[in-house]
Amino acid sequence: MNLYAQSSQKILVAYYSHSGNTKVVAEQIQNATEADIFEIVPVVAYPTDYQTVVDQAKEEINKNYHPALKSKIENIDQYDVIFVGSPNWWSTVAPPVATFLAENDLSGKTIVPFITHEGSRMGRSEDDIKKLCPNSTVLKGLPIRGGSVKNAQADVNKWLKEIGVLN
Ligand SMILES: Cc1cc2nc3c(=O)[nH]c(=O)nc-3n(C[C@H](O)[C@H](O)[C@H](O)COP(=O)(O)O)c2cc1C
């Protein structure tokens, strides 16, 4: 049973995924909530070589760079609850997610972060999300280790119950 669906709250799952882990969790949330899903895609894709992307990400995050996105979500106004997913990059959200949060007016909406990582869990992503959406309510996020995403549906469902999205 879906509380938010019952009370006609409309849910969006928006995520960026560089190597596929965050996409898996995004689909698990969609699966449990029947939400709409939106992949955040930068105009210029990040390199696949690990060290190259790590260096580029460090520089972009230090400069607070917001890369342009390929497409904009239509009618963001219709959503009450927006799950925002990102890999943990240097303890924060990936720059395309920062762009998404900055370029959409999310005032009055409930933002629910989820992060995949390799040890740093949420890092400072919740605080950084709050700074990018000062007029939104940011709920407790879910960190999932990248290597464990395929078996995460039960943890996802448990968390959705904890935060009151599922009953
Ligand atoms: C540029 C970059 C920076 C990263 N920084 C961190 C970090 O600071 N802490 C951490 O635990 N994992 C870090 N990781 C690992 C990713 O968060 C992890 O592999 C994640 O699951 C990848 O998600 P994705 O497959 O959706 O892109 C980093 C990975 C990349 C590519």
Side-chain angles (χ1 to χ4, degrees):
M1 193 60 74
N2 179 329
L3 274 186
Y4 279 98
Q6 271 181 338
S7 55
S8 72
Q9 296 253 26
K10 204 151 159 52
I11 307 178
L12 174 70
V13 180
Y15 71 96
Y16 169 71
S17 187
H18 178 248
S19 56
N21 294 336
T22 311
K23 180 184 171 80
V24 173
V25 180
E27 288 171 353
Q28 289 166 342
I29 296 169
Q30 182 199 28
N31 185 34
T33 60
E34 293 155 31
D36 292 343
I37 193 158
F38 176 73
E39 183 176 7
I40 299 168
V41 182
V43 171
V44 181
Y46 283 83
T48 47
D49 176 69
Y50 191 74
Q51 200 50 54
T52 311
V53 69
V54 162
D55 292 344
Q56 181 177 331
K58 185 179 191 179
E59 196 180 336
E60 290 188 2
I61 289 165
N62 285 342
K63 290 183 176 158
N64 200 20
Y65 174 68
H66 290 176
L69 304 184
K70 259 193 181 162
S71 60
K72 210 172 161 156
I73 186 99
E74 304 258 330
N75 290 328
I76 193 103
D77 283 352
Q78 67 182 301
Y79 297 104
D80 307 291
V81 179
I82 303 181
F83 286 83
V84 174
S86 179
N88 177 324
W89 277 11
W90 291 99
S91 284
T92 188
V93 294
V97 175
T99 306
F100 175 84
L101 295 171
E103 79 177 16
N104 287 292
D105 180 8
L106 305 176
S107 302
K109 300 186 189 300
T110 299
I111 306 296
V112 199
F114 61 101
I115 298 284
T116 70
H117 65 93
E118 278 312 329
S120 312
R121 300 176 64 82
M122 301 297 289
R124 57 170 200 280
S125 57
E126 280 163 315
D127 283 347
D128 289 347
I129 289 170
K130 282 179 192 161
K131 282 182 201 147
L132 287 159
C133 333
N135 301 314
S136 308
T137 303
V138 181
L139 298 190
K140 179 173 170 265
L142 178 71
I144 302 256
R145 196 177 268 275
S148 308
V149 292
K150 291 222 164 67
N151 301 315
Q153 184 78 62
D155 286 343
V156 165
N157 290 3
K158 185 168 165 257
W159 165 68
L160 290 170
K161 283 179 190 161
E162 267 169 36
I163 60 172
V165 174
L166 291 182
N167 61 8

